[in-house]
Amino acid sequence: MEFKGSYVALITPFTKNDEIDEDKIRELVNFHIENGTSGIVPCGTTGEYPTLSYEEHEKVIRVVIEEAKGKIQVIAGAGSNNTKRAIELTEYAKSLGADAALSTCPYYNKPTQRGIFEHYKAIADATKFPLMIYNVPGRTGVNIEPETVLKLTDLEEVVAIKEATGSLEQMIKIQELCGDRLAILSGEDHLILPMLSIGAKGVVSVVANILPAEMCNLIKAFEEKAYDKAFELHSKLYDISRNMFIEGNPVTVKAAMKILGLIDNDSVRLPLVSQEEKNNQKLKELFLKKGLIK
């Protein structure tokens, strides 16, 4: 199975009573199927998985897979800084029929490079399931070094990496070392075009929550060597991408989705809080400028 194109780092919508909004999840899955998104990634950082109970985490994955019905790939968020829990989540995703698991580098613990390798090896050995490793040192406190990524490709289950260091130099080094041994996907929306130019296969995107067709078309244009069109879409999306973190993720993207009418409730769970109105106004001004609202 190929891992390429635009994958959405799906939000987790909540009801006004702070319950999982199952109906809205199903609606959003179909929204992405209709707009050409390559895959859904539930229960990542954008999906607020740290504040989901074990039961809620598993419910979100189940609902997404049920609604996807094999029409779109599902890369289930299954990361944890507890290796045993990461194995449990990965096995659960496998049992439901997900296509792969997104497995973040252990956070807070700050393991050594050897510890990182052994963490992923334990998951791979226990589950025999495709893994997309997720490198985001800004959140985890530790970088998966390119040499460690190369070593991880010795594990048959490691098929892709979501690379979110923001470092093109690191991405180039991974590409040089690993070649076609794994698919590299950008974890930074504003760097998609330059990352495609140095070998990335796509993106796991926050902005795709609001502009899925544009994100898909950018990657498609690049693949078809329609570079002028790719740059045009990059230019349209760049400012929006840079403004999706005014108050952090997923606070701002949920606010954006509410402004655009994609969700009715932009609530998040503590310790996150909903975006302030002055910043909502900044988004509205940007969306007016970009022609997204009138």
Side-chain angles (χ1 to χ4, degrees):
M1 177 177 291
E2 283 191 306
F3 295 93
K4 58 183 291 188
S6 175
Y7 293 79
V8 60
L10 193 71
I11 66 151
T12 298
F14 300 120
T15 67
K16 291 182 179 179
N17 295 324
D18 197 37
E19 302 291 334
I20 301 295
D21 190 338
E22 180 176 332
D23 290 341
K24 181 58 68 172
I25 292 173
R26 294 183 186 278
E27 181 181 316
L28 291 174
V29 170
N30 284 288
F31 172 66
H32 285 286
I33 292 171
E34 292 163 6
N35 280 277
T37 299
S38 297
I40 308 282
V41 184
C43 296
T45 306
T46 310
E48 297 178 71
Y49 83 90
T51 62
L52 301 180
S53 69
Y54 284 6
E55 293 77 17
E56 288 175 325
H57 192 141
E58 293 174 358
K59 177 180 181 178
V60 172
I61 292 172
R62 174 180 57 76
V63 171
V64 169
I65 292 172
E66 283 178 359
E67 195 62 31
K69 299 182 178 72
K71 297 176 183 178
I72 188 171
Q73 287 183 9
V74 178
I75 315 299
S80 177
N81 62 344
N82 177 330
T83 304
K84 181 179 179 180
R85 176 59 181 162
I87 290 170
E88 291 172 351
L89 283 169
T90 305
E91 287 180 331
Y92 182 74
K94 179 181 180 180
S95 72
L96 290 180
D99 296 285
L102 179 72
S103 192
T104 189
C105 177
Y107 43 88
Y108 190 76
N109 305 14
K110 299 185 75 171
T112 63
Q113 295 299 301
R114 186 163 63 91
I116 291 169
F117 175 81
E118 293 298 335
H119 170 79
Y120 284 117
K121 184 176 185 299
I123 299 169
D125 287 348
T127 65
K128 303 299 181 185
F129 190 60
L131 302 175
M132 178 185 291
I133 61 177
Y134 179 17
N135 189 28
V136 57
R139 288 187 179 271
T140 64
V142 62
N143 183 38
I144 307 177
E145 299 293 340
E147 293 77 12
T148 303
V149 177
L150 174 61
K151 189 175 180 183
L152 284 167
T153 62
D154 290 335
L155 304 174
E156 182 179 346
E157 292 77 15
V158 173
V159 295
I161 181 171
K162 178 183 176 183
E163 171 52 43
T165 60
S167 168
L168 293 176
E169 288 189 4
Q170 169 140 330
M171 197 313 218
I172 291 168
K173 184 66 173 179
I174 292 171
Q175 182 66 31
E176 287 180 345
L177 289 174
C178 301
D180 294 332
R181 297 180 70 175
L182 86 169
I184 303 170
L185 292 102
S186 175
E188 299 281 357
D189 282 320
H190 67 289
L191 292 178
I192 294 169
L193 187 56
M195 286 193 69
L196 289 171
S197 73
I198 54 178
K201 301 297 184 184
V203 64
V204 180
S205 171
V206 174
V207 174
N209 279 284
I210 60 172
L211 295 171
E214 288 84 348
M215 196 62 69
C216 293
N217 289 338
L218 191 166
I219 295 169
K220 183 178 179 182
F222 184 88
E223 290 174 343
E224 294 176 351
K225 298 182 171 56
Y227 299 127
D228 288 347
K229 182 178 180 182
F231 184 74
E232 178 184 335
L233 286 163
H234 162 78
S235 298
K236 177 179 181 179
L237 292 168
Y238 184 83
D239 289 344
I240 298 171
S241 299
R242 296 297 283 172
N243 279 279
M244 278 301 102
F245 296 87
I246 296 172
E247 290 192 27
N249 183 35
V251 172
T252 302
V253 73
K254 278 191 166 182
M257 292 176 76
K258 185 176 180 181
I259 291 168
L260 295 174
L262 296 170
I263 56 175
D264 301 318
N265 177 16
D266 64 353
S267 64
V268 290
R269 285 182 173 174
L270 289 170
L272 302 180
V273 292
S274 295
Q275 184 159 278
E276 293 184 17
E277 185 54 37
K278 65 179 182 180
N279 289 322
N280 289 342
Q281 192 59 40
K282 289 181 182 179
L283 283 183
K284 290 175 184 177
E285 291 170 4
L286 176 63
F287 293 165
L288 277 167
K289 179 181 175 183
K290 295 288 184 177
L292 301 182
I293 58 175
K294 296 180 181 180

